[in-house]
């Protein structure tokens, strides 16, 4: 362990947010600037990798400066530069990694490339005083998986989606209803006014052993209902969204029950379920998962919404976790579009 206070700059550019934050090892977020590219991608109904890479390049310098300015610090006062080194869209990851390397070289500071998924997994320790091990569910636009977080750099994969991520299922279904990306928040809003029992939708893999997910069947069934009804009245939309959200909640809870039994068998001391990723912003899913955690003698912990979606603070925090343990990255690091969490082993 490295003693003394530590301030890290974290850069995130692996998808459609250019984000930079400054965080210290006492869990203070000194600045957290997120520049979203929603508007750039909106006309295309999803993230376009080439547009994302160019937008990161255009904005990153400005965002770094803004993050330092808001933290009221200069680069000389920073103890290291952390960056999402993957997985993600390669063009964006390259922009972040090159910027981080440049800053680290210019100021002779440690360079710490971190796994983007690991940054999500460790955010709970930035927001709350959580100790290892814990059960972790990542639900975002591109990921949907359960892991046991045993230590920094030590993850056991329990199961994940065999087709679509849950966020993708929400976004594509919202699009069919005529709503722009990201669809998740719109579905949550519409669902508030609807009848969750109006439509019966399938719950793929429910009750099956393991904790894999499958959303493509639900997506197709949802598509069928929407196209059949050809009905865009507000009551149809509200009832449909409420039913759709309830179905996803049912799937998440069933899979979480199975994940708990797998995790507790391996690590009986687990008493926290951490949920992160953009979809974790959903209040209904949080309530369902909180009840499930309680059934298993555990507590659901969700980082604040601003830390659930992609951000630089989680990257800076992961950098702190590594640097505190004496791990520093190499400037030879190459961006990794694919980088499974369970492949990390630093011990
Ligand atoms: P991320 O991939 O972590 O950047 O998160 C983006 C994903 O989270 C998108 O698929 C969004 O639709 C989804 N999302 C964001 N807010 C919500 C919400 N309130 N309910 C459900 N999904 C959401
Ligand atoms: Mg994103």
């Amino acid at each position: 362990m490295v003693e003394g206070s530590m301030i890290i700059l974290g850069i995130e550019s692996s998808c459609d947010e250019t984000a930079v934050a400054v965080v210290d090892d006492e869990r203070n977020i000194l600045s957290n600037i997120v520049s979203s590219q929603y508007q750039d991608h909106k006309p295309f109904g999803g993230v376009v990798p080439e547009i994302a890479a160019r937008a990161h390049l255009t904005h990153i310098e400005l965002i770094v400066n803004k993050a330092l300015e808001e933290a009221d610090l200069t680069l000389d006062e920073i103890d290291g530069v952390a960056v999402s080194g993957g997985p993600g869209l390669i063009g964006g990851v390259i922009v972040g990694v090159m910027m981080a390397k440049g800053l680290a070289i210019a100021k002779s500071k440690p360079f710490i490339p971190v796994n983007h998924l690991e940054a999500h997994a460790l955010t709970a320790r930035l927001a709350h005083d959580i100790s290892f091990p814990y059960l972790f569910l990542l639900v975002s636009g591109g990921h949907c998986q359960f892991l046991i977080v045993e230590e920094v750099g030590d993850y056991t994969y329990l199961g994940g989606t065999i087709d679509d991520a849950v966020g993708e299922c929400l976004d594509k279904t919202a699009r069919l209803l005529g709503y722009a990306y990201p669809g998740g928040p719109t579905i949550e809003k519409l669902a508030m006014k609807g009848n969750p029992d109006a439509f019966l939708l399938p719950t793929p893999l429910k009750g099956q052993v393991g904790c894999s997910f499958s959303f493509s069947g639900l997506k197709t069934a949802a598509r069928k209902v929407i196209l059949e009804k050809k009905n865009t009245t507000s009551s149809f939309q509200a009832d449909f969204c409420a039913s759709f959200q309830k179905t996803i909640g049912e799937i998440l809870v069933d899979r979480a029950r199975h994940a708990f039994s797998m995790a507790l068998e391996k690590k009986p001391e687990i008493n926290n379920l951490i949920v992160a990723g953009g979809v974790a912003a959903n209040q209904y899913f949080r309530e369902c998962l909180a009840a499930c955690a309680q059934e298993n003698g555990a507590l659901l912990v969700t980082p604040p919404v601003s830390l659930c979606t992609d951000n630089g603070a989680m990257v800076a925090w992961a950098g702190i976790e590594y640097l505190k343990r004496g791990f520093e990255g190499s400037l030879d690091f190459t961006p990794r579009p694919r980088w499974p969490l369970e492949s990390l082993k630093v011990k």
Side-chain angles (χ1 to χ4, degrees):
M1 287 272 177
V2 176
E3 297 301 327
S5 70
M6 190 180 276
I7 303 173
I8 299 289
L9 180 97
I11 300 177
E12 160 59 42
S13 59
S14 67
C15 189
D16 58 343
E17 272 91 23
T18 317
V20 183
V22 179
V23 175
D24 73 18
D25 59 349
E26 284 170 358
R27 298 202 183 93
N28 297 306
I29 300 175
L30 306 175
S31 65
N32 191 16
I33 313 289
V34 181
S35 161
S36 175
Q37 303 172 356
Y38 285 157
Q39 292 306 327
D40 299 306
H41 301 290
K42 212 171 168 180
F44 306 96
V47 178
V48 183
E50 184 60 27
I51 293 176
R54 285 171 193 271
H56 286 305
L57 198 56
T58 307
H59 296 119
I60 196 154
E61 193 180 343
L62 189 83
I63 308 288
V64 167
N65 288 333
K66 221 167 147 184
L68 285 167
E69 201 178 297
E70 207 164 281
D72 201 17
L73 292 168
T74 64
L75 261 184
D76 293 306
E77 294 166 290
I78 300 287
D79 299 301
V81 185
V83 62
S84 271
L89 300 173
I90 188 68
V93 178
I94 290 175
V95 171
V97 168
M98 295 317 281
M99 174 55 98
K101 282 186 183 178
L103 296 174
I105 293 169
K107 295 290 175 184
S108 304
K109 305 282 182 184
F111 162 74
I112 318 137
V114 303
N115 180 299
H116 173 86
L117 304 176
E118 180 167 36
H120 273 302
L122 297 174
T123 309
R125 289 166 51 81
L126 163 63
H128 309 269
D129 192 7
I130 301 288
S131 50
F132 300 115
Y134 50 85
L135 178 60
F136 176 61
L137 168 62
L138 178 61
V139 275
S140 70
H143 303 281
C144 189
Q145 55 184 259
F146 280 107
L147 297 148
I148 302 175
V149 179
E150 310 216 11
E151 234 301 335
V152 171
D154 190 357
Y155 302 85
T156 303
Y157 180 81
L158 297 177
T161 185
I162 55 170
D163 41 53
D164 299 335
V166 58
E168 197 179 333
C169 178
L170 285 157
D171 293 334
K172 293 203 170 136
T173 304
R175 198 173 164 200
L176 281 175
L177 290 169
Y179 295 101
Y181 175 87
T186 314
I187 289 182
E188 180 174 25
K189 211 165 127 211
L190 290 169
M192 282 171 190
K193 294 178 231 136
N195 170 11
D197 299 315
F199 297 95
L200 189 63
L201 294 162
T203 50
L205 298 187
K206 189 178 164 189
Q208 305 236 352
V209 286
C211 58
S212 302
F213 292 93
S214 168
F215 287 103
S216 70
L218 173 61
K219 200 176 70 182
T220 309
R223 182 186 172 86
K224 216 165 145 237
V225 173
I226 294 167
L227 296 182
E228 248 170 33
K229 296 276 167 195
K230 283 199 183 76
N231 188 341
T232 48
T233 62
S234 57
S235 74
F236 165 77
Q237 295 211 342
D239 286 347
F240 177 81
C241 288
S243 307
F244 184 61
Q245 183 177 260
K246 182 188 165 195
T247 308
I248 294 179
E250 223 175 295
I251 296 170
L252 292 177
V253 166
D254 176 74
R255 303 291 72 199
R257 277 197 190 114
H258 284 247
F260 261 116
S261 68
M262 291 164 82
L264 290 172
E265 196 174 309
K266 202 167 181 302
K267 295 269 167 188
E269 68 272 34
I270 286 180
N271 58 4
N272 282 306
L273 166 63
I274 314 292
V275 185
V279 180
N282 185 291
Q283 209 51 46
Y284 176 75
F285 298 154
R286 285 182 179 214
E287 282 162 23
C288 296
L289 290 165
C292 174
Q294 203 178 10
E295 264 173 38
N296 286 279
L299 193 68
L300 173 80
V301 179
T302 44
V305 173
S306 63
L307 296 179
C308 271
T309 47
D310 290 346
N311 65 87
M314 67 178 191
V315 177
W317 178 256
I320 288 172
E321 296 262 33
Y322 270 96
L323 213 50
K324 282 260 159 190
R325 286 166 177 76
F327 292 104
E328 217 181 283
S330 155
L331 288 166
D332 289 335
F333 175 85
T334 8
R336 300 185 61 173
R338 287 180 196 282
W339 191 0
L341 256 191
E342 61 279 14
S343 71
L344 294 174
K345 271 280 179 212
V346 297
K347 282 200 287 196

